[in-house]
Amino acid sequence: PAPILRESPLDVGIVILVDMAHVQSTPKILIAGGGIAGLATALALHRLGLKSITVLEQASSLRVTGASLTIWDNGWRALDALGVADTLRSQHIKLQRVETLLASRGLTKPLSLDGHEVRCVKRKDLLQTLAQELPPHTIQFGSKISAIHRTHGNSSIVELEDGKHISPKVVIGCDGVNSAVAKWLGFGAPNLAGRSAFLGLAKFPEGHHFEHKTFQIWGNGIRAAFAPCNENDAFWFVARKSNPRLDAEIAYKEEILREEALHLAENLRNKELVELIKRSVPGSLSLAVFKYRYLWPFMAGNARQGNVTVAGDALHPMTPELGQGGSLALEDSVTLGRCLGEMDLEKPGDVEAALNKYVQERKVRAFGMGVGSSVS
């Protein structure tokens, strides 16, 4: 076949010459990003019988480092739909209430979680559970999209960093808060919220003494919280006003992160939080710079171009105050799987209809949560 011109890689306006003889037609479904949204989306599609799915993950292995995330009722319903909820329930305790200490007033405000399913889930357990349910070789490690080129009509050719070109039926960007696919779709860069958080996972081989609750502390410009994941592990975070220069210097230096977190915890005068930070296991400490995005492009219908869309943090990055980032990503995955599962992927019109249906279903839900988190 003759070479054809392609416009708009990840930097709009550049014209690329692609030799169609070297363009692969498989996989049919290409997912960028092997995090929670990417693996959950792949599993949702697999459960519905769709074949030829590949998840591109730029890391050399599953990114199981990090601490944990809170999964609420809606996230557990999504995990039930994916068929992995009971496995994760057996590994994580159900939280009974949230207690918030207003340090300046010495007041504690309790909030019962009766009637709700809320668990603090270790990121490693969630990712490994999702990955184990996928067919072998679904995840392609060491791979990353470098460009997306439009073809005639509404299809696309994806160029990988190793030079390969693929023409899948569907492209789904699950590549996180700084998503290149979202940028290609016309989404603006995420906004800095002005806060950063130190996070970690503490281990108690002999068992810990914490109640089945989330305990929050607010005071002196600091927000902190901790909660047990199970009887031997507990998650914690300490958030403060961002210091861009310092944050950039220490982001990947675990012992410095521990020292900074301890300094903040000591200001809050909470012995339990101090103990948790001291017991944090190597590989779990991290620094998160809070970001969010105004979702006007999403509301205007720009979350789908041709056969390309986004999900998870790539679609709706938000700050963690509502504890809904992970649960919304799981919702996205199940919704996207259902919409695509109802259509014939061999018909371009069906693919566009499926992605349009997905975008319409997620608009109000994601927009409301995004606004709520940005003003919290």
Side-chain angles (χ1 to χ4, degrees):
I4 55 177
L5 293 178
R6 299 287 178 258
E7 292 186 6
S8 299
L10 295 181
D11 294 317
V12 176
I14 300 175
V15 178
I16 304 293
L17 190 64
V18 179
D19 185 349
M20 291 302 293
H22 296 93
V23 175
Q24 302 175 14
S25 59
T26 57
K28 292 184 178 179
I29 302 173
L30 191 66
I31 300 171
I36 295 168
L39 297 186
T41 299
L43 183 55
L45 296 167
H46 172 64
R47 294 290 196 222
L48 290 167
L50 278 74
K51 308 295 184 182
S52 188
I53 303 164
T54 292
V55 177
L56 302 178
E57 171 50 51
Q58 62 180 325
S60 59
S61 60
L62 203 62
R63 290 176 291 135
V64 296
T65 56
S68 68
L69 65 156
T70 302
I71 302 293
W72 287 74
D73 306 79
N74 52 320
W76 288 105
R77 287 192 293 270
L79 291 169
D80 274 323
L82 294 172
V84 297
D86 286 343
T87 297
L88 291 164
R89 286 186 178 106
S90 69
Q91 299 168 343
H92 300 88
I93 60 176
K94 184 178 177 182
L95 301 176
Q96 304 298 325
R97 66 185 185 277
V98 178
E99 289 187 7
T100 303
L101 171 64
L102 304 178
S104 60
R105 302 179 186 177
L107 298 176
T108 300
K109 293 186 175 182
L111 173 66
S112 173
L113 294 175
D114 286 349
H116 296 280
E117 182 173 11
V118 184
R119 300 172 195 263
C120 193
V121 175
K122 293 195 291 182
R123 176 183 170 83
K124 177 179 179 180
D125 291 348
L126 177 55
L127 289 178
Q128 289 182 337
T129 299
L130 293 170
Q132 288 167 2
E133 295 295 315
L134 294 170
H137 311 300
T138 296
I139 308 171
Q140 184 174 312
F141 294 108
S143 296
K144 183 181 179 181
I145 292 177
S146 64
I148 302 174
H149 313 302
R150 291 193 184 94
T151 65
H152 302 298
N154 282 321
S155 297
S156 60
I157 292 177
V158 175
E159 181 178 349
L160 305 186
E161 285 193 338
D162 63 6
K164 291 180 182 177
H165 290 79
I166 306 170
S167 181
K169 302 296 183 183
V170 185
V171 180
I172 305 168
C174 299
D175 47 342
V177 64
N178 296 310
S179 168
V181 179
K183 178 182 177 182
W184 184 85
L185 287 170
F187 281 67
N191 304 289
L192 295 173
R195 302 189 302 284
S196 303
F198 301 88
L199 309 93
L201 188 70
K203 183 167 285 293
F204 296 79
E206 72 286 2
H208 58 66
H209 58 279
F210 300 115
E211 297 180 57
H212 294 184
K213 68 179 182 181
T214 295
F215 190 73
Q216 301 184 122
I217 314 164
W218 296 2
N220 303 323
I222 303 169
R223 289 187 180 185
F226 56 86
C229 300
N230 50 45
E231 298 302 340
N232 299 100
D233 302 293
F235 166 71
W236 62 266
F237 81 85
V238 185
R240 45 88 163 140
K241 183 178 179 181
S242 291
N243 183 332
R245 180 177 296 179
L246 176 63
D247 290 352
E249 290 177 357
I250 68 175
Y252 301 103
K253 301 175 181 177
E254 277 203 299
E255 285 312 307
I256 297 179
L257 294 179
R258 191 192 306 270
E259 291 173 9
E260 291 290 322
L262 280 171
H263 174 69
L264 294 171
E266 288 164 356
N267 283 342
L268 291 173
R269 299 179 182 178
N270 186 276
K271 294 180 180 179
E272 291 180 320
L273 182 59
V274 169
E275 180 185 13
L276 285 164
I277 296 170
K278 288 181 176 179
R279 282 179 170 262
S280 295
V281 298
S284 75
L285 285 102
S286 61
L287 176 66
V289 178
F290 294 170
K291 298 180 180 181
Y292 66 96
R293 181 188 291 124
Y294 295 118
L295 293 179
W296 305 121
F298 183 23
M299 297 302 289
N302 294 344
R304 193 278 302 174
Q305 287 191 35
N307 63 342
V308 181
T309 193
V310 284
D313 284 345
L315 177 60
H316 43 64
M318 61 183 66
T319 59
E321 279 81 3
L322 298 182
Q324 277 289 335
S327 294
L328 278 187
L330 293 168
E331 281 188 19
D332 291 344
S333 302
V334 171
T335 303
L336 187 49
R338 173 171 47 78
C339 291
L340 285 169
E342 295 171 349
M343 304 296 180
D344 184 350
L345 297 187
E346 298 301 323
K347 298 178 180 178
D350 275 16
V351 171
E352 293 172 39
L355 297 184
N356 281 337
K357 182 178 180 182
Y358 158 72
V359 170
Q360 291 300 319
E361 288 194 21
R362 300 307 294 156
K363 269 187 178 181
V364 175
R365 176 71 166 158
F367 184 75
M369 287 290 185
V371 170
S373 73
S374 65
V375 300
S376 297

